[in-house]
Amino acid sequence: FVSRAQLFSLYVMQRRCTRGFRNCALISILFLALSRVTCTSFDYPSTPVYTDDLWGTYMGANPSSGKMSEKPAMSANPVPGAGSGGDVEVATFAGGCFWGLERWFRKEFGDALKSTAVGYVGGSGPAEYRAVCSGTTGYAEAIQIEFFPSKTSYKALLEYFFKIHDPTTLNRQGNDVGTQYRSGIWTHSPDQKEVAQQVKAEMASKWASKGPIVTEIVDGQPEDFKMGEEYHQLYLEKNPGGYCNHMPRW
């Protein structure tokens, strides 16, 4: 049988892909077919619900209700073994689905990071997943990273950011389409802004074959970041087979 994580990933793909594309229609059909099999196999509600409430069942909510908490997580996700590395700085990046960003940064930098968190930045109004997905709030899915400058640098984080997502596609990463998937760097000091501009310019040659880099660089404060819901935190650690379109490009 198909696992809950795999089915949910298929559900996300079905919701995110652009309408009218043949592959999206096929994904939708496959999703509906597998939902019927899987809901029965795992003894979930006898009548499958093909709405946003469906993901509650597959994200660990009470199966009898199909609901889950939309409340933001209470704190960031500490990195095991990070300990104390002295002074801490904060970096905030947006580059498509926040699940993949969190997974790859933690994998690459390990205990050079104190913590990570996924959430929303750059918008107004309710910072909630369903509202953000409507495209009306202005928020982008983002990751906020606490890192130890004694173990890694802001420049190294930026270079890796440009390596694992496509900064040439406006408001899009793969099948993820919308302003919430735009590429952006929210800087928290004049020094960060200067480094961000430098790295963006340096990365132009890496991405020249795809087109100009459209990553926005925005002045901001760490407090501008709005924590995402608990079920989004460390999603790909909890569900290794989940949806992800990030990867090192070189």
Side-chain angles (χ1 to χ4, degrees):
F1 296 108
V2 178
S3 73
R4 284 175 282 180
Q6 289 171 323
L7 180 59
F8 179 69
S9 294
L10 189 61
Y11 172 67
V12 172
M13 292 171 66
Q14 179 262 335
R15 285 183 54 83
R16 288 179 171 177
C17 57
T18 306
R19 293 181 180 178
F21 285 6
R22 180 180 300 176
N23 65 321
C24 297
L26 292 175
I27 288 172
S28 298
I29 292 169
L30 185 57
F31 166 71
L32 292 174
L34 291 178
S35 295
R36 293 186 179 275
V37 173
T38 308
C39 286
T40 301
S41 303
F42 285 97
D43 195 28
Y44 288 146
S46 57
T47 303
V49 181
Y50 305 121
T51 67
D52 284 346
D53 288 338
L54 176 67
W55 71 44
T57 299
Y58 296 100
M59 294 296 285
N62 183 345
S64 65
S65 67
K67 303 289 186 179
M68 63 184 174
S69 174
E70 297 288 345
K71 294 181 180 179
M74 297 300 292
S75 61
N77 310 306
V79 173
S84 177
D87 293 340
V88 173
E89 291 187 21
V90 176
T92 307
F93 306 135
C97 177
F98 43 26
W99 294 349
L101 288 175
E102 186 169 39
R103 173 191 183 184
W104 283 100
F105 270 104
R106 289 173 72 93
K107 180 178 180 180
E108 176 70 11
F109 291 95
D111 64 7
L113 311 182
K114 179 181 180 181
S115 70
T116 60
V118 299
Y120 314 103
V121 71
S124 60
E128 302 169 350
Y129 188 63
R130 299 190 195 198
V132 172
C133 284
S134 73
T136 61
T137 66
Y139 284 110
E141 291 192 14
I143 181 172
Q144 187 146 285
I145 301 168
E146 290 184 305
F147 67 98
F148 298 112
S150 61
K151 296 183 178 180
T152 191
S153 66
Y154 184 64
K155 182 176 182 180
L157 296 176
L158 281 167
E159 290 172 340
Y160 193 68
F161 169 68
F162 280 107
K163 184 177 182 177
I164 60 173
H165 87 295
D166 185 343
T168 70
T169 52
L170 184 64
N171 299 328
R172 179 171 192 159
Q173 286 295 307
N175 283 332
D176 298 344
V177 181
T179 56
Q180 67 269 33
Y181 301 116
R182 66 189 183 272
S183 175
I185 302 165
W186 274 257
T187 60
H188 306 313
S189 69
D191 287 345
Q192 282 197 356
K193 184 173 183 177
E194 182 179 351
V195 175
Q197 291 171 334
Q198 174 190 346
V199 173
K200 179 180 176 180
E202 292 173 352
M203 290 293 117
S205 61
K206 292 279 190 182
W207 288 99
S209 63
K210 286 291 301 286
I213 289 176
V214 297
T215 304
E216 57 184 351
I217 298 175
V218 184
D219 295 333
Q221 298 298 323
E223 295 76 20
D224 297 335
F225 175 84
K226 309 300 182 183
M227 188 74 75
E229 295 82 351
E230 181 63 41
Y231 62 86
H232 286 304
Q233 307 298 326
L234 300 177
Y235 179 76
L236 292 176
E237 288 191 13
K238 302 169 188 172
N239 302 280
Y243 174 84
C244 181
N245 62 18
H246 292 86
M247 67 184 74
R249 265 56 173 197
W250 60 80

